[in-house]
Amino acid sequence: MARTSDTAVDLSPAELAAWRGMLQAQASLLHSMDAELTAAHGLALRSYEVLLHLEEARRHRLRMSDLSRSVLLSPSGVSRLVDRMERDGLVRRERCSEDGRGYWAVLTSRGEAMFREARATHLAGVRRLFLGHFSGDDLTRLTGYWERLVPGATKPGDPAADDGDCA
Amino acid sequence: MARTSDTAVDLSPAELAAWRGMLQAQASLLHSMDAELTAAHGLALRSYEVLLHLEEARRHRLRMSDLSRSVLLSPSGVSRLVDRMERDGLVRRERCSEDGRGYWAVLTSRGEAMFREARATHLAGVRRLFLGHFSGDDLTRLTGYWERLVPGATKPGDPAADDGDCA
């Protein structure tokens, strides 16, 4: 394996294991969950996430820019994703009346039905692949770790306000 | 906040905090690291990941299909990403000689130089945003947690073999 030579900034094996282990473990879990949702409902995990965020948002709608932040996609990436979901009838775009420029993504009744179906599959996966490996004490400790990293990370989502501009 | 009514499968608040906290915390860290890399080097975190995987791979090359798995992008997503990186001179595609169908992504010398520059920025971010919040014991515990979830997740990457077919 090729190794860069600037050892001054190298991470120790223990640091590397903790950091890369998180990325690897999460990627692996999400990959499995994506495969399960796709097989059972023809729904990608990323699309499920969009449905989830819209389901929880006030009036079942989010600005495209807020959605982009929530699902960690670039604006162009989220735009392509919403295009596909719009073709499948799961969401629709609505122009902001305030400034006539930005768009909302809005959950459709078909999207809501799909979310409810897919949710049981997804939660079963979360239990089997994640929660099932931890005791209650482990979960408390993990929650503490996430709060250290990002204060507020473990609190229920803060649905973006649905008034004001939606650029 | 709208709530689905099938409470039978709901996660408890403690379960939800541990699970969503992981997703939120990691998303937030990666978002910050992406912003730092982009500001300092004009390089997206996703592109940095591609450079890292190629740097560590034997002969600095990976099949497109392996790369897609490593960076958790769909085949079309990784194809678009490699298109952009090829335009920037950071990687090049090489057709597999074995079967004439698949492609390798290969690190260029410019890509390697970019990786070395960006690496210092990225590792400083990993230290400040992640490692700096944990003691050595915490890191050991986290590593144990990742191994429970995905055995092998904390071991050094297994560079995909560079022989055989590359479909």
Side-chain angles (χ1 to χ4, degrees), chain B residues 94-144:
Chain B
E94 259 177 34
R95 194 177 278 278
C96 295
S97 56
E98 289 85 356
D99 61 6
R101 286 182 303 123
Y103 283 91
W104 300 107
V106 187
L107 191 64
T108 63
S109 56
R110 180 164 175 179
E112 195 164 356
M114 171 63 95
F115 172 71
R116 283 170 199 278
E117 270 181 45
R119 187 167 179 270
T121 303
H122 180 63
L123 290 188
V126 171
R127 289 190 190 287
R128 194 180 76 255
L129 297 168
F130 181 78
L131 299 170
H133 294 280
F134 298 120
S135 69
D137 284 351
D138 291 330
L139 295 181
T140 303
R141 190 172 284 125
L142 280 170
T143 297

Side-chain angles (χ1 to χ4, degrees), chain A residues 14-161:
Chain A
E15 290 173 331
L16 205 56
W19 166 244
R20 281 225 206 163
M22 178 171 84
L23 302 181
Q24 279 297 116
Q26 182 166 320
S28 175
L29 293 193
L30 296 182
H31 187 82
S32 299
M33 291 171 182
D34 182 59
E36 286 178 6
L37 277 175
T38 302
H41 308 282
L43 188 75
L45 179 60
R46 196 76 91 172
S47 304
Y48 176 83
E49 276 184 82
V50 168
L51 296 180
L52 170 68
H53 288 296
L54 292 177
E55 167 73 23
E56 294 190 343
R58 250 196 298 166
R59 299 169 66 182
H60 288 190
R61 66 184 201 176
L62 285 172
R63 295 180 194 105
M64 292 294 288
S65 50
D66 289 324
L67 197 52
S68 171
R69 268 192 294 279
S70 300
V71 299
L72 201 69
L73 280 177
S74 65
S76 65
V78 87
S79 186
R80 273 195 300 271
L81 179 58
V82 167
D83 280 347
R84 284 197 296 277
M85 296 180 69
E86 203 168 14
R87 281 198 294 274
D88 294 338
L90 302 174
V91 300
R92 65 173 190 276
R93 275 190 177 79
E94 259 177 34
R95 193 179 279 276
C96 294
S97 57
E98 288 85 358
D99 60 6
R101 285 182 302 123
Y103 283 91
W104 301 104
V106 186
L107 191 64
T108 64
S109 56
R110 180 165 175 178
E112 195 165 356
M114 171 64 94
F115 172 70
R116 284 172 197 275
E117 270 181 44
R119 186 166 179 269
T121 303
H122 180 62
L123 290 187
V126 171
R127 290 190 190 285
R128 194 181 75 256
L129 298 167
F130 182 77
L131 299 171
H133 294 281
F134 298 120
S135 69
D137 283 352
D138 291 331
L139 295 180
T140 303
R141 190 174 283 124
L142 280 169
T143 297
Y145 285 164
W146 309 142
E147 283 292 323
R148 269 195 234 173
L149 288 177
V150 180
T154 69
K155 303 294 184 290
D158 171 30

